[in-house]
Amino acid sequence: MTEVRYRVRPAGPLNGTAVVQGAKNAALPMIGAALLARRGQTVLRNVPAITDV
């Protein structure tokens, strides 16, 4: 499996949309990333309704 990493350098505010598959293994990193936001609003859609998530 290929690991993907992103480095974000602060050059201004971040905004946008990322489309991720609704699988558990895709949703867990997105939930973790959403917890790192200091302000603003993060909306996660298509997250599977299972106990692991």
Side-chain angles (χ1 to χ4, degrees):
M1 178 187 242
T2 304
E3 183 175 318
V4 178
R5 293 181 182 209
Y6 297 98
R7 180 179 299 202
V8 179
R9 296 186 179 139
L14 296 176
N15 62 27
T17 303
V19 179
V20 181
Q21 293 180 0
K24 173 186 73 166
N25 292 336
L28 288 175
M30 295 300 290
I31 293 170
L35 293 172
L36 295 175
R38 291 180 182 232
R39 54 187 142 129
Q41 181 178 9
T42 302
V43 178
L44 300 175
R45 295 187 177 100
N46 200 24
V47 177
I50 57 176
T51 13
D52 292 3
V53 177

